[in-house]
Amino acid sequence: MCEEILSVKDLKTYFNSRTSTFLGKSPSIRAVDGINLSINAGESFGLVGESGCGKSTTGRSILRLIQPTSGSINFAGRDVMTADKKSLRTLRREMQMIFQDPYSSLNPRMRVLDIVAEPLIVHRLAKPSEAATKAKKVLDHCGIPDGSVQRFPREFSGGQRQRIVIARALVTRPRFIVADEPVSALDVSIQAQILNLLQDLRDEYSLTYLFISHDLAIVRTVTNRIAVMYLGKIVEQADTSVFFSGPLHPYSRALLSSVPRETPDEDKKRIILTGNIPSAANPPKGCNFHTRCPLFTEKCKKIAPELIPVSKGHSVACHLALKSSK
Ligand code: ADP
């Protein structure tokens, strides 16, 4: 598990803001503000952070479902940023996305078999009869039996619909999947089944995941590495086990402390962050977390910390965490 499949360098995705200032200028929304990622084949890499920190925009930018503002994206030796329409089509077969909402991801007027077979026909990977056979096989792997493939999406439960979404993403035999909050719309009882399915499929189909979630408890169970995002930047990155045994960034610590614990005593250690998340259109100067940080100093107000390695595979962007880790 050491061959790099995805390399992202200094990725920025800015959106135009519709609200203008009193001078009439519209500030850009810095949804993703200079992130670097290196993901190895076979990994399940978690991207976590509160809602609005730029996780989805990162995932969509990597697949160029959104046009990034700048930076470089390299997938399996190919330049995604400069790929023309034709190369992008090929790349999209290999890089798929699973979205949060299985209700809006499926065409309600199509039968499930056609929904899953469609990408094979669109990408000219199979004739219609072959496409149906292949689609049935993938559906079966995803837990949708042959007997129900002629039904419409509305005839399935939320969990089953997410299985269909996953089958559709897998039918072109991708190598890389961005799973964007794949279980957050589902009942807790169903979540574990879908997470187990994703783990089984990773082995069966030799997949690499970028797993996006706001839920640390979920990320802990399904990823081997993790990056924490805050206001468009990565503030900490580590092996999942290392991260959960000792997060260094004050934001990571606060996030982790909000995950419910087994004993009430542990709950007392909860760190409550004050203040709202600043606007991505007008992020604070210096360290963009300093306005909510319980530990900030004068330096944090002025100088943005770089993401710096503190031990093998563990990096943190915090002036204070760096000091304390030395
Ligand atoms: P997350 O996935 O972490 O919840 P997003 O990537 O969806 O965060 O959003 C990051 C920031 O970019 C937010 O401030 C959001 O409002 C803004 N944003 C996302 N998409 C758009 C868009 N199409 N136009 C303008 N702003 C956007």
Side-chain angles (χ1 to χ4, degrees), residues 1-309:
M1 197 161 71
C2 53
E3 188 200 336
E4 186 184 65
I5 193 165
L6 179 79
S7 164
V8 172
K9 295 206 174 109
D10 202 18
L11 182 69
K12 293 182 180 165
T13 304
Y14 292 176
F15 295 109
N16 290 328
S17 162
R18 282 188 206 101
T19 50
S20 49
T21 63
F22 66 98
L23 290 173
K25 268 178 87 180
S26 303
S28 298
I29 297 165
R30 301 178 190 192
V32 178
D33 201 13
I35 72 163
N36 297 296
L37 287 174
S38 168
I39 301 182
N40 294 328
E43 274 201 291
S44 176
F45 189 98
L47 198 55
V48 297
E50 288 163 290
S51 175
C53 70
K55 304 181 296 297
S56 287
T57 307
T58 302
R60 286 164 200 246
S61 300
I62 289 170
L63 304 193
R64 269 189 61 199
L65 296 173
I66 296 175
Q67 184 59 35
T69 307
S70 63
S72 75
I73 305 165
N74 193 290
F75 174 75
R78 279 162 294 161
D79 187 342
V80 179
M81 275 297 257
T82 58
D84 59 17
K85 255 191 179 170
K86 196 170 162 229
S87 322
L88 209 51
R89 269 170 72 100
T90 315
L91 278 165
R92 293 254 168 82
R93 280 195 333 235
E94 296 178 47
M95 304 168 86
Q96 290 278 349
M97 187 146 184
I98 299 168
F99 297 96
Q100 172 177 352
D101 184 3
Y103 295 82
S104 57
S105 311
L106 300 171
N107 184 337
R109 280 179 286 278
M110 282 174 79
R111 292 178 194 276
V112 162
L113 183 61
D114 296 330
I115 289 174
V116 177
E118 189 183 42
L120 290 172
I121 294 164
V122 169
H123 287 292
R124 298 202 190 101
L125 295 173
K127 292 187 189 122
S129 59
E130 285 167 7
T133 310
K134 286 185 177 179
K136 274 187 195 169
K137 202 169 159 196
V138 180
L139 277 161
D140 186 54
H141 283 168
C142 293
I144 302 294
D146 203 6
S148 46
V149 299
Q150 292 297 346
R151 295 195 197 149
F152 292 94
R154 64 171 180 274
E155 298 175 71
F156 292 87
S157 68
Q160 287 171 321
R161 278 185 239 208
Q162 197 56 307
R163 288 174 186 274
I164 297 163
V165 169
I166 294 168
R168 184 179 157 93
L170 284 185
V171 78
T172 58
R173 290 302 188 126
R175 298 159 73 187
F176 178 69
I177 302 256
V178 175
D180 189 357
E181 303 273 8
V183 297
S184 18
L186 304 176
D187 288 350
V188 175
S189 57
I190 309 294
Q191 288 186 350
Q193 293 173 15
I194 299 295
L195 294 174
N196 284 340
L197 174 68
L198 287 171
Q199 268 173 318
D200 292 347
L201 293 171
R202 180 164 69 118
D203 299 334
E204 213 171 315
Y205 286 74
S206 304
L207 297 169
T208 304
Y209 289 136
L210 175 63
F211 194 97
I212 294 173
S213 178
H214 68 281
D215 189 331
L216 276 177
I218 286 178
V219 168
R220 185 177 199 166
T221 62
V222 297
T223 66
N224 63 292
R225 273 202 298 151
I226 179 169
V228 179
M229 275 188 90
Y230 184 79
L231 264 187
K233 293 183 190 288
I234 292 177
V235 297
E236 184 159 4
Q237 187 175 313
D239 286 349
T240 305
S241 56
V242 172
F243 178 83
F244 281 93
S245 59
L248 292 174
H249 197 285
Y251 178 62
S252 311
R253 287 184 180 174
L255 274 188
L256 196 54
S257 79
S258 66
V259 177
R261 306 296 167 96
E262 276 156 21
T263 62
D265 265 7
E266 282 184 295
D267 264 350
K268 284 188 196 147
K269 294 176 206 145
R270 187 166 175 181
I271 305 165
I272 312 273
L273 290 176
T274 51
N276 294 325
I277 306 180
S279 159
N282 188 19
K285 297 219 160 43
C287 172
N288 65 11
F289 181 60
H290 85 261
T291 53
R292 298 172 80 202
C293 182
L295 308 171
F296 81 93
T297 65
E298 282 306 305
K299 185 178 180 185
C300 308
K301 288 190 196 168
K302 293 179 194 133
I303 301 170
E306 303 263 322
L307 190 68
I308 291 179

